[in-house]
Amino acid sequence: MLLIGLIAGLIVYSFFRCGVGGFYTVSPDQRAVVTSFGKAERLREVASTELGDDAMTGEEQHRYEYPQVRVVGPGGPYFKLPWQQVHKVSVATQAVDLSWDPSKAQDTIEAVTKDNLTTGINGQLRYRVSESNLYPYLFGVTSPLEHVMGYFVSVLRERVANFVDPKGQTLLADEELEAADGESSGPAVDLSEGVSINDLRKNLPLLNQYMEEQCRSTTARYGIELDAALITEIDPPTEVDRALSAINSTRNQVAADLSTARADSEQQITMSARAVEIATNNAQAEVAPLRELAGTLSEIKQNGGSPALKAYVRNAKIPLYQAAHRVVQTIDSNATK
């Protein structure tokens, strides 16, 4: 009876272990890899360049050449043997805070800027598991997301430490101020540039784009595709933030004063030019009748001689006699004699 019970127990265990327990399903947002005695079924070796990674060196590409495994798509039920194990992975896009670290609790990522200012950086990282490169994610490293976050943070700190505003480090240089003075119709000079924290805050889209380009190799390294890097906060310590706010306010006030002075000077120059133009037009209006009269008298003298000119002058005086109240006439003594 003991032997019969043992055999019956083995039969029941084998039925549930191999029969009922051998079926599994894969949800639509999941992919599965089946291993036999711990080894996945390999299809072929995949070079890192096939995964869109052209930023890695030759030595790194050789180091991260992982095989491509057979991936079980969504659906089912599928059947597996007792010595096989199913590894399911979610391929949906997920988001994680930049401050996430399983080894310690922190609210922000600390980074040092080019001018030795310690800042706190926060944001989110959107990622998804690469379906075409599941081997490094499942079997390459123990915690691939932790490795990706460490790689991302190291690249971010290196970029923050060497970041320079592409428009120029400062607009306080003499040659740039002279160039700004020459462009009278241009916008006001922004004197808040030249401080690393300000440059970083104004160029967040550029910084995010740089991080996305530099982290494209995570697909070949860890089997994780970075969908987007969203750095939303770059904040210095409180006392430094107050000092920076005061500096920025002062510099903005200087920029506003420069812009106002430039506008006033341009207005004065314009008004002076208009006044000169008006005076010139008035002088030309007064000179024009005299020139016309001189031309008429020259033409009369040329055609009729001196008598005609004297007759014209005599006739021109008649209206003056009618308007005058008193006329003083001088007599030439030589003419009377």
Side-chain angles (χ1 to χ4, degrees):
M1 295 297 295
L2 180 61
L3 181 60
I4 294 175
L6 180 60
I7 294 174
L10 290 175
I11 294 174
V12 173
Y13 173 78
S14 299
F15 174 76
F16 284 99
R17 181 72 174 83
C18 301
V20 179
F23 293 96
Y24 67 93
T25 59
V26 181
S27 60
D29 63 333
Q30 290 181 338
R31 299 296 183 270
V33 175
V34 180
T35 59
S36 298
F37 298 105
K39 182 179 181 179
E41 181 181 353
R42 305 183 181 187
L43 301 179
R44 62 185 179 89
E45 297 289 335
V46 179
S48 58
T49 54
E50 297 182 23
L51 301 174
D53 177 27
D54 52 357
M56 298 173 61
T57 62
E59 190 271 336
E60 290 176 338
Q61 292 177 1
H62 178 71
R63 184 194 311 169
Y64 293 103
E65 285 186 354
Y66 293 109
Q68 186 176 15
V69 296
R70 188 177 69 88
V71 180
V72 180
Y78 301 104
F79 181 77
K80 68 178 183 67
L81 298 175
W83 54 84
Q84 292 180 331
Q85 185 177 0
V86 179
H87 302 267
K88 297 181 181 180
V89 176
S90 175
V91 294
T93 301
Q94 305 178 49
V96 61
D97 292 336
L98 294 182
S99 59
W100 178 83
D101 192 341
S103 61
K104 61 180 179 180
Q106 57 183 359
D107 296 330
T108 59
I109 297 295
E110 291 187 353
V112 180
T113 62
K114 189 175 182 180
D115 47 7
N116 296 325
L117 177 64
T118 301
T119 61
I121 301 177
N122 208 341
Q124 283 189 341
L125 191 67
R126 290 206 303 261
Y127 71 96
R128 60 177 176 271
V129 179
S130 175
E131 182 179 353
S132 60
N133 198 26
L134 285 178
Y135 189 91
Y137 183 81
L138 292 174
F139 312 110
V141 293
T142 303
S143 180
L145 182 57
E146 184 178 355
H147 283 264
V148 169
M149 293 301 298
Y151 176 76
F152 183 88
V153 170
S154 63
V155 174
L156 176 62
R157 285 173 174 168
E158 187 273 337
R159 181 57 175 170
V160 169
N162 298 284
F163 186 83
V164 177
D165 191 353
K167 297 180 181 179
Q169 297 186 12
T170 179
L171 289 178
L172 289 175
D174 295 337
E175 58 274 8
E176 295 187 2
L177 287 177
E178 293 176 359
D181 292 338
E183 299 175 357
S184 58
S185 60
V189 180
D190 187 4
L191 296 180
S192 63
E193 298 181 2
V195 182
S196 296
I197 185 66
N198 294 331
D199 297 340
L200 287 168
R201 285 173 172 174
K202 290 185 295 185
N203 293 277
L204 276 181
L206 184 63
L207 182 61
N208 289 330
Q209 181 181 0
Y210 174 83
M211 295 304 302
E212 292 176 8
E213 292 176 355
Q214 293 297 317
C215 294
R216 287 184 303 170
S217 61
T218 56
T219 303
R221 292 173 183 265
Y222 311 110
I224 294 180
E225 298 179 4
L226 294 183
D227 184 63
L230 303 175
I231 301 174
T232 56
E233 297 179 6
I234 300 181
D235 298 323
T238 306
E239 59 276 7
V240 177
D241 195 14
R242 294 198 196 98
L244 286 176
S245 299
I247 293 173
N248 293 335
S249 299
T250 304
R251 291 187 171 182
N252 291 334
Q253 184 63 37
V254 172
D257 293 341
L258 285 176
S259 180
T260 302
R262 186 180 296 110
D264 292 341
S265 62
E266 292 174 358
Q267 184 178 5
Q268 294 294 333
I269 293 173
T270 303
M271 293 176 60
S272 301
R274 293 293 177 84
V276 171
E277 183 179 355
I278 293 173
T280 303
N281 293 333
N282 292 334
Q284 291 178 353
E286 294 178 359
V287 171
L290 299 178
R291 290 181 176 177
E292 186 67 23
L293 179 59
T296 302
L297 295 176
S298 300
E299 186 176 354
I300 292 174
K301 184 177 181 181
Q302 183 179 1
N303 295 331
S306 298
L309 183 60
K310 292 180 180 180
Y312 175 81
V313 173
R314 184 178 62 253
N315 294 333
K317 291 180 179 180
I318 294 175
L320 297 177
Y321 291 146
Q322 295 177 356
H325 297 283
R326 181 182 299 175
V327 177
V328 178
Q329 184 177 4
T330 59
I331 300 175
D332 190 358
S333 58
N334 296 326
T336 57
K337 291 179 179 180

